[in-house]
Amino acid sequence: MSNRFFRDCFFLTCLLVLSGSVQAQQTTERYIPIGKSPGVADTDTVIGEIIGVDYETHSMEVRDSVGVKTVRMIESTRYFLDRTKYKRSNQSATMQDCRVGSKVEVKLRSDDMVDWVKIESE
Amino acid sequence: MRFVWRLKQVWAVLTCTLAIAACPATPTVPPEENLILKGEKLFFNETFAGNGRTCATCHRAEDNFALSPRFIETLPPDDPLFVAEFNPDLAENFENPRLIRELAVILENQDGFDDLANDFNMRGIPHTLALRTSVVSATGPQTGWSGDGSPGDGSIRSFAVGAVIQHFPKTLNRVADVDFRLPTDDELDALEAFQLSLGRQEDLSLPLPLKGTVAARGQEIFIDRSLGKCNACHFNAGANGDPSIFGPTAGNLNFDTGVEDLPDQPADLTGELVPPDDGLGSPGSGEFNTPPVVEAADTGPFFHNNSVETIEGAVAFYNGDAFNNSPAGQLVAGATGGGINLDATQIVAVAAFLRVINALENIRAGDELLDRAFPVFRIDREYQTSLIRRAGFEIEDSVEVLAGAGLHAAAVTLLRKAHSLAQESLEYTGQRRRQLVDDARVQLNSAKIRMVEL
C-alpha cells in the first residue's frame, strides 16, 4: 500500500476532525422539549428569552439568567416549534418564527454557531 | 436465682452477637454491577409509556441484540414489533410491516419528520455488542448506522432518547408525556452502563494463532494490504481504522462504500417504496460507519439495509462494482493500484476466518455469562437463569456459525455438549446447577483449544 494511500487517509481523517461538531441526530431533537436534550441542555445550550432578532444578519440576542448572548445562525441551523407544554405536536420552523419575547433554547456548536433553535409556541 | 437467670440471658445474647459477627458477610453487589442490572431491566422491560415496545423489542438477546427475519418468524402476531399492524394510530407511515417481516428492516425518519409518506429510510437493526470498542472516534461518538444516531450530545447515553421518539410513540404526534415519556438522566446512565457491558470490552490483536487451515489463510488475506485490504478499516477485525493509516485517534470512521448502489437489493425487489438512504447527516453524505466484524458472522443480514444475507456475500461485496466504484473503493484503488479482487476460494477463506473469530467470541461471551451466573455476591435465581439462557444463545450461535461452513467439526461436537449441559442446568438449582454449568465451561474451553493455540 503506497504512501499516497496513507497520505489520503490521513488527510481524510484530519478533514473529519476539523469539520466541526459532534455527529448528533438532529431530526428527533425536534420532539425533545426545551431543556431536556440529553447531554447538552444547560451545558451547550442557552435557554432564555429573545430580546432582539436581526433576520438579515441571521443573529439573535437571547437573555438568560447569566446575561445577554448574541448568537449567529447558519444555513444548516434547524428550527423547531416546541409545543409540548400545550400537548401539541412539535413542528419544524424557520428563523421567521424567532420573535422577540419568545422563550427559546439555542444549541451552540463548538465554533459558537447555532446548531438548532427550539422556540416555545402554542 | 434470678441473677443467674439474668446472667444466662446476657451470655446468650453475647454469644449470638459474636456468632453473627463471625459469619462471613455476603458481599454486596458492586455499584457498577447494580447500574448494569438496573440498565438491563430498563432495556428489557421499560416501555417509557409508549406503544408497548422496549429496547429489546428490536435488540433481542436471543438474536445477538439484533433482529433477523428468521427470528421474527418465531414471534407471535401481537408482539410489539408489529405494533403498526394492530394499533390504528400507527398504521400509516410508522413502519412497513411487510418489510419488517421479510427483511427485518425498520423505518427511520433520519432526514426529518415533515414528509412521513416519502422521506424515510429502511434500515436493519444493528447489534449492540462491543459498543465499548466501536463508538469512539476523533469526531465524537459514532452511534447508529451512520454515526449520527443519537440526539443531544450524540453519545451512546443519549441514544435511548432518540429511539423512544422514533420507535416508541403511541401516535405520530410524538408529544412528550403524551405519546411517550423521555428517559430520565438516571435511566440514561443505567442504559448506557448496560449497553457498554455487552460483548467484547476490547479489540483482538491479530494475527491469532488459528488452527484451521482455511481460516488461517483467510486471516492472512484479511490483513494483507495488497490482497484483502480489510484490516485498514476493520483494524484487528474491529470497527476502527488502522491507526498507522488513519492516525492514532481516528477510532471509528464513516465511509461511502456504495452499498446503496448494489443492484437487485432485496427491499427494492419487493416493489415497496424504499427511498435511497443518504447516510450521515441531512442532506446526507452517503457515508455509514464501520461495524466491527468479529460480531458479523452471526448477526446477518448485512449492511445498513440488510441487503446481503450471508457472510460470504458480505465479503464478496468488496469484490463488486458497487464497492470498487464507490468513494471508499476509489480511495483504496488509487492507493494500491487496483480494487479488491478476490477469487471464490479467497472469499470463502476470509469468511471462514470471520466465522471462526465469531465463534471464538461466542465461546468467550458464553463462558463469561456462565461465570457471571455464580458471582461472589448474591444474585436472584431469575437473573441467574437469564444469564445462563443468554450463554446458551451464544453457544448455539457458535455451533451454527461453524457448522454452517463445515468448520471445526470436533469443536462443534464439544460446543453442542456445552449447550446441552447449560440447558440442563436450567432444570436444577443450587449445587447441581453449578456443577452442570462448570461442566459446560469445561466443554467450551475444550472447543476453543481445537480452534486456536492457547
Side-chain angles (χ1 to χ4, degrees):
Chain A
M1 199 164 281
S2 74
N3 286 337
R4 197 171 133 210
F5 182 62
F6 283 73
R7 195 192 59 216
D8 288 354
C9 292
F10 192 70
F11 176 69
L12 176 79
T13 310
C14 291
L15 253 182
L16 285 169
V17 173
L18 296 172
S19 65
S21 56
V22 165
Q23 297 160 357
Q25 217 258 40
Q26 296 204 351
T27 56
T28 50
E29 194 67 56
R30 158 173 161 171
Y31 295 105
I32 305 174
I34 287 175
K36 301 287 184 188
S37 190
V40 296
D42 291 330
T43 55
D44 297 337
T45 70
V46 178
I47 300 175
E49 182 188 338
I50 300 175
I51 58 167
V53 188
D54 187 334
Y55 298 109
E56 290 197 351
T57 60
H58 298 279
S59 64
M60 189 163 72
E61 286 184 311
V62 180
R63 182 170 55 212
D64 66 2
S65 55
V66 181
V68 176
K69 187 163 180 79
T70 302
V71 296
R72 194 171 298 278
M73 277 70 84
I74 50 176
E75 198 180 341
S76 62
T77 300
R78 285 173 177 257
Y79 302 87
F80 308 113
L81 292 184
D82 177 12
R83 313 195 301 174
T84 317
K85 195 171 162 184
Y86 302 95
K87 310 280 184 207
R88 299 174 70 198
S89 187
N90 293 352
Q91 292 183 334
S92 292
T94 67
M95 196 185 166
Q96 303 303 315
D97 294 295
C98 297
R99 298 190 186 108
V100 172
S102 297
K103 181 182 177 182
V104 288
E105 179 177 21
V106 179
K107 161 73 171 38
L108 299 169
R109 305 190 329 178
S110 52
D111 58 5
D112 243 19
M113 295 296 167
V114 175
D115 237 355
W116 48 255
V117 182
K118 293 178 184 172
I119 310 148
E120 190 174 274
S121 173
E122 285 189 33
Chain B
M1 194 67 185
R2 196 171 170 179
F3 173 75
V4 173
W5 181 80
R6 192 77 184 162
L7 203 65
K8 278 182 178 171
Q9 260 192 332
V10 172
W11 178 248
V13 169
L14 256 175
T15 312
C16 285
T17 307
L18 285 171
I20 290 166
C23 282
T26 305
T28 52
V29 182
E32 62 274 16
E33 189 73 22
N34 255 334
L35 194 62
I36 291 169
L37 288 174
K38 182 182 171 187
E40 180 167 352
K41 283 177 185 160
L42 290 166
F43 191 91
F44 287 110
N45 303 317
E46 182 56 58
T47 62
F48 294 101
N51 60 31
R53 287 176 165 183
T54 67
C55 303
T57 298
C58 292
H59 299 283
R60 301 276 176 164
E62 306 95 313
D63 208 12
N64 292 299
F65 291 90
L67 201 55
S68 62
R70 191 175 61 158
F71 183 80
I72 288 173
E73 194 64 32
T74 67
L75 297 173
D78 61 349
D79 188 278
L81 180 67
F82 309 127
V83 67
E85 294 179 9
F86 51 77
N87 180 339
D89 289 325
L90 300 173
E92 299 287 330
N93 303 327
F94 181 64
E95 295 285 9
N96 181 323
R98 179 182 173 195
L99 293 182
I100 283 189
R101 287 184 179 277
E102 285 186 24
L103 301 171
V105 287
I106 56 168
L107 191 148
E108 303 265 3
N109 298 99
Q110 202 70 22
D111 290 326
F113 293 85
D114 289 325
D115 182 7
L116 295 178
N118 299 296
D119 193 1
F120 58 86
N121 301 317
M122 300 305 301
R123 291 184 172 181
I125 295 151
H127 63 77
T128 53
L129 302 169
L131 286 172
R132 198 178 289 283
T133 70
S134 65
V135 170
V136 177
S137 85
T139 55
Q142 294 262 75
T143 61
W145 276 116
S146 41
D148 56 350
S150 294
D153 59 3
S155 66
I156 188 73
R157 178 180 178 276
S158 301
F159 193 89
V161 172
V164 166
I165 291 168
Q166 177 72 59
H167 304 297
F168 288 36
K170 287 177 187 158
T171 77
L172 298 185
N173 290 328
R174 294 189 160 93
V175 181
D177 296 328
V178 175
D179 294 305
F180 49 78
R181 73 169 180 83
L182 294 174
T184 64
D185 282 341
D186 286 349
E187 287 172 332
L188 291 178
D189 289 341
L191 281 166
E192 179 190 44
F194 172 64
Q195 289 173 87
L196 289 175
S197 78
L198 296 172
R200 281 182 302 122
Q201 300 296 298
E202 57 187 24
D203 273 328
L204 300 177
S205 183
L206 300 184
L208 300 176
L210 298 178
K211 289 185 173 176
T213 312
V214 178
R217 176 60 188 146
Q219 180 173 231
E220 288 170 3
I221 296 168
F222 186 95
I223 294 171
D224 192 325
R225 287 183 167 186
S226 62
L227 195 53
K229 309 170 189 177
C230 319
N231 208 46
C233 299
H234 295 285
F235 187 59
N236 283 324
N240 300 320
D242 183 341
S244 71
I245 298 173
F246 296 100
T249 59
N252 189 250
L253 294 168
N254 272 25
F255 294 103
D256 179 352
T257 57
V259 170
E260 280 291 309
D261 297 327
L262 275 171
D264 301 321
Q265 294 191 33
D268 293 337
L269 295 175
T270 64
E272 299 286 322
L273 175 63
V274 183
D277 190 335
D278 60 6
L280 170 70
S282 176
S285 64
E287 295 172 333
F288 296 87
N289 61 351
T290 316
V293 292
V294 171
E295 286 75 18
D298 62 352
T299 55
F302 299 95
F303 305 115
H304 65 271
N305 50 10
N306 282 359
S307 52
V308 175
E309 180 62 30
T310 65
I311 190 70
E312 285 73 16
V315 176
F317 161 76
Y318 295 93
N319 249 11
D321 289 345
F323 175 74
N324 283 311
N325 293 333
S326 73
Q330 290 294 303
L331 183 68
V332 171
T336 61
I340 294 174
N341 186 17
L342 303 177
D343 276 321
T345 44
Q346 294 171 317
I347 289 170
V348 168
V350 173
F353 164 62
L354 296 178
R355 284 175 180 271
V356 168
I357 58 174
N358 179 262
L360 287 169
E361 169 54 19
N362 284 324
I363 291 169
R364 187 207 63 76
D367 187 57
E368 182 188 274
L369 287 162
L370 292 176
D371 188 39
R372 278 179 57 201
F374 296 93
V376 289
F377 48 85
R378 188 188 298 273
I379 58 170
D380 65 50
R381 186 162 168 253
E382 194 183 337
Y383 182 57
Q384 184 181 68
T385 299
S386 84
L387 290 170
I388 297 172
R389 281 186 66 234
R390 275 171 56 193
F393 303 144
E394 300 288 348
I395 301 167
E396 208 171 14
D397 282 347
S398 65
V399 170
E400 279 190 26
V401 160
L402 294 175
L407 298 162
H408 290 295
V412 168
T413 303
L414 293 163
L415 290 167
R416 286 199 168 112
K417 179 73 178 161
H419 184 255
S420 166
L421 288 163
Q423 293 304 108
E424 191 184 345
S425 78
L426 295 173
E427 295 165 19
Y428 297 91
T429 56
Q431 205 45 46
R432 178 65 180 146
R433 174 179 272 197
R434 176 77 194 244
Q435 185 57 55
L436 287 163
V437 163
D438 285 347
D439 292 347
R441 295 184 67 193
V442 169
Q443 299 297 319
L444 286 179
N445 197 48
S446 300
K448 187 177 171 183
I449 289 169
R450 280 160 175 79
M451 297 162 66
V452 64
E453 304 281 354
L454 293 179

